[in-house]
């Protein structure tokens, strides 16, 4: 797997080259749309809603709808001009308490791995963040966007999470007035919680719908393939190698000299 | 722990020379299998398969998760990750697999065309390097350590008769053979002249379209005889 991004963390006087690797992946089943009659793939055509003509990408411009059916056209050059300069370093802005940040701010998580030469400084940063229970907040440019990031230490590595800006977070739509709770009620609730505490083991949870979907698809594929179970005791690789070896040994030439090879 | 096993610091030795078929009592001859070169770090707990760029291949080949059970001692094995299709190693299938990431697609592929690890060398055993032993001693060590099954095999070799072996391989349309000196040592990361590749390859002219040269993400090109089929091949997986 190739690094999704390569960056340099600048921390004090040191620069730590790191590769960011995606930490999660989509393992879900995705379907393609097919034409029921002949099972051809469904293709999309872009058609103008006004004149009905089929449109190619050269004919398309970007518009922003500022009012119903009213657009301003923005050209690619105009957008290009205001894009942030590509900068390959994460500037650490400050450090914060590890548990102080609301999960709502975290967007996409990457695993950060030091590039050759950066291991020592990387480990120093990780170990000291871990000891202090702090995370680093920094900014960099990913693609063309100015991105806020959190550098999060873990026991066995470092996670880097892109973050939402305060501006991206929705305000709470509804508030509720908190009724008073009695101490006895609290005690009971705490006891119940205490009795149900077990360490979090993510491997315990599975998307059961996806599991069933996989079973369904597998059984369909198996139904199509008549050659389901191949005899596999010896292994094809061993068979081939043994066959070659045997045929060399069986046909040992009577004379000591090997037969003359024809020019290739 | 700076142990080469723990640090996963071994680097495979590479073939340094290409040559014509020959007979020699000082060499052994092995089949050159068309797969992905891998080192297997094996102990009682499991196997860690690393390709030439030291990337973990385990997620791509879940069907090989249990091969460590067939290996008797903690060791590093050098070998080839293969996928057999219609009785022959199929490199494009290995390549297709190594580019997959969806677990379910990998599982399906693993059932349809299961991979296999063919070990041809042993570099480390029970806490110490075996790289200074002559090849033939490593070979017999390898034989004692691995118990073969459908997922793990030990590479067979032919003594002395390189020419007849090559003729047979050529007739079967296989990729080629490798000659190795019987007394040769193993040097990590080195391109060695003691391993000689004898390839079943028809000479031809190759054309590399300029457009691939300009794409920096492609680190290598897989050649095909027809230029329109010249496929850029992602070496950086």
């Amino acid at each position: 797997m190739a690094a999704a991004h390569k960056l340099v963390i600048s921390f004090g006087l040191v620069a730590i080259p790191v590769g960011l690797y995606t930490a999660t992946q989509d393992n879900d089943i995705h379907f393609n749309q097919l034409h029921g009659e002949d099972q051809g793939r469904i293709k999309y055509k872009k058609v103008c809603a006004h004149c009905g003509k089929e449109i190619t990408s050269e004919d398309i411009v970007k518009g922003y709808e500022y009012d119903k059916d009213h657009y301003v056209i923005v050209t690619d050059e105009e957008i290009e001009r205001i894009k942030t300069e590509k900068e390959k370093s994460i500037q650490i802005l400050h450090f914060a308490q590890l548990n102080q940040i609301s999960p709502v701010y975290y967007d996409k998580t990457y695993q950060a791995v030091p590039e050759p030469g950066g291991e020592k400084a990387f480990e120093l940063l990780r170990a000291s963040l871990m000891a202090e229970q702090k995370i680093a907040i920094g900014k960099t440019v990913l693609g063309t966007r100015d991105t806020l990031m959190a550098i999060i230490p873990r026991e066995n590595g470092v996670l880097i999470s892109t973050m939402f800006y305060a501006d991206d977070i929705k305000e709470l739509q509804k508030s509720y007035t908190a009724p008073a709770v009695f101490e006895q009620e609290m005690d009971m609730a705490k006891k119940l919680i205490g009795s149900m505490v077990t360490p979090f083991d993510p491997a315990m949870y599975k998307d059961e719908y996806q599991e069933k979907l996989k079973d369904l698809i597998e059984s369909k594929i198996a139904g199509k393939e008549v050659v389901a179970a191949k005899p596999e005791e010896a292994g094809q690789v061993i068979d081939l190698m043994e066959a070659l070896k045997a045929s060399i040994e069986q046909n040992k030439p009577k004379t000591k000299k090997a037969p003359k090879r024809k020019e290739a | 722990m700076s142990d080469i096993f723990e640090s996963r610091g071994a680097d495979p030795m590479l073939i340094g020379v290409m040559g014509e078929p020959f007979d020699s009592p000082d060499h052994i001859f092995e089949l050159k299998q068309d797969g992905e070169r891998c080192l297997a770090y094996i102990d009682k707990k499991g196997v860690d398969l690393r390709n030439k760029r030291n990337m973990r291949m385990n997620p791509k080949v879940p069907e090989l998760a249990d091969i460590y059970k067939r290996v008797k001692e903690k060791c590093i094995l050098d070998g080839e990750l293969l996928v057999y299709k219609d009785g022959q190693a199929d490199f494009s299938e290995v390549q297709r697999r190594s580019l997959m990431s969806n677990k379910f697609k990998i599982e399906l592929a693993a059932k349809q065309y299961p991979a296999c690890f063919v070990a041809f060398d042993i570099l480390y055993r029970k806490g110490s390097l075996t790289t200074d032993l002559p090849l033939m001693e490593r070979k017999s060590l390898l034989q004692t350590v691995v118990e073969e099954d459908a997922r793990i095999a030990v590479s067979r070799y032919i003594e002395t008769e390189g020419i007849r072996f090559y003729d047979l391989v050529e007739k079967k349309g296989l990729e080629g053979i490798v000659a190795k000196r019987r007394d040769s040592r193993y040097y990590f990361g080195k391109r060695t002249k003691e391993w000689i590749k004898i390839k079943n390859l028809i000479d031809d002219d190759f054309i590399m379209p300029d457009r691939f040269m300009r794409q920096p993400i492609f680190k290598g090109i897989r050649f095909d005889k027809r230029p329109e089929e010249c496929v850029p091949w992602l070496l950086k997986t």
Side-chain angles (χ1 to χ4, degrees):
Chain A
M1 191 180 53
H5 302 283
K6 288 200 173 178
L7 294 167
V8 175
I9 299 174
S10 25
F11 166 49
L13 290 174
V14 291
I16 313 167
V18 294
L20 300 192
Y21 296 83
T22 47
T24 57
Q25 70 171 12
D26 176 13
N27 278 318
D28 285 357
I29 302 241
H30 299 283
F31 292 106
N32 289 125
Q33 296 185 324
L34 303 181
H35 180 198
E37 205 173 284
D38 59 9
Q39 307 200 347
R41 278 287 287 269
I42 304 298
K43 270 174 43 177
Y44 291 97
K45 272 187 182 177
K46 288 180 177 172
V47 174
C48 173
H50 177 69
C51 68
K53 257 196 232 159
E54 196 187 330
I55 302 301
T56 60
S57 57
E58 298 100 77
D59 303 324
I60 295 176
V61 296
K62 284 192 178 79
Y64 175 77
E65 189 180 37
Y66 64 93
D67 200 357
K68 180 122 178 74
D69 295 330
H70 287 76
Y71 298 90
V72 282
I73 305 299
V74 179
T75 66
D76 287 347
E77 293 84 62
E78 284 167 328
I79 288 176
E80 209 54 49
R81 240 176 283 143
I82 56 165
K83 272 182 185 170
T84 319
E85 268 303 298
K86 217 176 172 70
E87 202 191 333
K88 292 250 164 176
S89 74
I90 305 177
Q91 297 293 339
I92 292 184
L93 306 171
H94 70 102
F95 296 93
Q97 207 60 37
L98 187 61
N99 52 13
Q100 195 198 16
I101 292 168
S102 163
V104 77
Y105 286 98
Y106 292 125
D107 186 10
K108 193 168 166 38
T109 306
Y110 296 90
Q111 252 145 6
V113 176
E115 295 280 303
E119 291 90 348
K120 184 71 196 280
F122 183 87
E123 179 54 20
L124 180 67
L125 178 64
R126 186 202 69 81
S128 48
L129 285 175
M130 198 72 197
E132 296 291 313
Q133 289 289 294
K134 294 278 192 297
I135 65 171
I137 303 292
K139 247 175 115 177
T140 187
V141 179
L142 283 189
T144 55
R145 293 198 51 189
D146 222 358
T147 310
L148 195 62
M149 295 183 142
I151 301 173
I152 306 161
R154 305 286 298 166
E155 279 301 340
N156 53 2
V158 169
L159 298 177
I160 290 188
S161 191
T162 62
M163 297 180 82
F164 291 109
Y165 288 101
D167 200 36
D168 298 327
I169 305 296
K170 275 193 189 174
E171 258 182 79
L172 207 56
Q173 295 296 312
K174 280 183 182 170
S175 62
Y176 70 103
T177 44
V181 287
F182 297 111
E183 216 181 293
Q184 295 97 308
E185 292 174 318
M186 271 286 266
D187 283 344
M188 226 165 64
K190 279 187 194 164
K191 245 181 221 155
L192 183 62
I193 292 171
S195 71
M196 290 176 69
V197 169
T198 52
F200 175 60
D201 176 9
M204 273 173 60
Y205 310 102
K206 292 221 161 80
D207 182 339
E208 283 170 36
Y209 167 68
Q210 284 291 329
E211 298 283 306
K212 284 180 201 159
L213 207 51
K214 285 173 188 175
D215 287 346
L216 171 71
I217 288 174
E218 269 192 287
S219 67
K220 290 225 162 188
I221 294 172
K224 272 190 185 165
E225 274 166 18
V226 197
V227 278
K230 290 171 209 154
E232 262 214 314
E233 290 75 37
Q236 297 171 289
V237 186
I238 302 174
D239 289 349
L240 173 73
M241 292 189 300
E242 283 295 351
L244 290 171
K245 203 175 168 179
S247 91
I248 292 283
E249 270 155 22
Q250 273 167 23
N251 305 311
K252 283 234 188 273
K254 281 158 204 157
T255 50
K256 269 190 183 169
K257 243 179 125 185
K260 217 180 162 193
R261 223 178 80 79
K262 272 177 246 150
E263 283 299 309
Chain B
M1 274 199 280
S2 61
D3 181 76
I4 197 162
F5 188 96
E6 307 305 332
S7 68
R8 304 291 190 259
D11 212 1
M13 181 156 84
L14 303 169
I15 293 171
V17 200
M18 248 168 78
E20 287 292 308
F22 61 96
D23 286 342
S24 156
D26 299 327
H27 287 79
I28 58 162
F29 301 88
E30 286 179 276
L31 197 57
K32 179 155 180 12
Q33 305 262 18
D34 210 0
E36 173 142 14
R37 182 81 175 275
C38 277
L39 295 183
Y41 295 80
I42 294 173
D43 61 15
K44 275 196 286 265
K45 285 175 286 190
V47 56
D48 189 351
L49 283 163
R50 299 294 180 112
N51 72 5
K52 265 193 276 187
R53 292 169 299 289
N54 209 8
M55 297 298 279
R56 282 197 66 181
M57 295 298 286
N58 296 48
K60 314 289 185 191
V61 284
E63 69 270 40
L64 298 186
D66 280 345
I67 58 173
Y68 73 96
K69 291 179 183 161
R70 314 287 298 186
V71 178
K72 288 175 209 143
E73 284 157 333
K74 181 175 172 179
C75 61
I76 304 174
L77 303 180
D78 188 357
E80 200 83 28
L81 188 71
L82 300 174
V83 175
Y84 262 55
K85 212 169 168 177
D86 311 320
Q88 276 197 25
D90 188 317
F91 179 69
S92 65
E93 195 57 36
V94 177
Q95 198 190 340
R96 193 173 80 90
R97 186 81 79 85
S98 62
L99 291 172
M100 281 183 191
S101 64
N102 185 292
K103 270 191 199 165
F104 183 54
K105 291 226 158 132
I106 290 173
E107 275 169 41
L108 288 177
K111 273 179 201 158
Q112 199 182 8
Y113 299 115
C116 167
F117 182 73
V118 179
F120 53 70
D121 216 323
I122 180 166
L123 319 182
Y124 172 103
R125 174 178 163 252
K126 286 208 276 187
S128 48
L129 289 172
T130 54
T131 44
D132 277 344
L133 297 174
L135 174 65
M136 294 320 283
E137 279 181 45
R138 298 202 304 274
K139 282 283 187 196
S140 70
L141 211 55
L142 182 62
Q143 205 69 49
T144 62
V145 164
V146 178
E147 211 176 304
E148 294 185 313
D149 70 357
R151 301 278 72 81
I152 184 164
V154 174
S155 177
R156 304 294 192 271
Y157 58 86
I158 306 292
E159 296 181 305
T160 319
E161 295 189 71
I163 293 176
R164 287 185 54 229
F165 185 40
Y166 179 81
D167 283 344
L168 188 63
V169 161
E170 190 182 49
K171 226 176 278 162
K172 296 231 174 206
L174 300 170
E175 208 206 343
I177 62 173
V178 181
K180 296 178 181 175
R181 272 195 77 90
R182 297 176 74 97
D183 57 3
S184 60
R185 264 132 241 248
Y186 196 101
Y187 299 102
F188 290 123
K190 197 189 155 188
R191 220 166 251 291
T192 176
K193 287 181 181 150
E194 293 179 323
W195 286 6
I196 303 158
K197 172 163 62 182
I198 302 153
K199 255 195 135 175
N200 176 18
L201 186 84
I202 307 135
D203 281 313
D204 211 331
D205 293 326
F206 293 89
I207 298 162
M208 173 146 60
D210 186 45
R211 62 180 189 278
F212 295 142
M213 295 292 285
R214 282 189 248 126
Q215 289 176 328
I217 74 156
F218 296 119
K219 287 229 163 158
I221 302 281
R222 186 173 146 209
F223 290 98
D224 201 296
K225 267 181 270 167
R226 282 153 297 181
E228 68 270 20
E229 281 186 31
C230 179
V231 184
W233 171 33
L234 262 176
L235 282 174
K236 248 183 78 183
T237 50

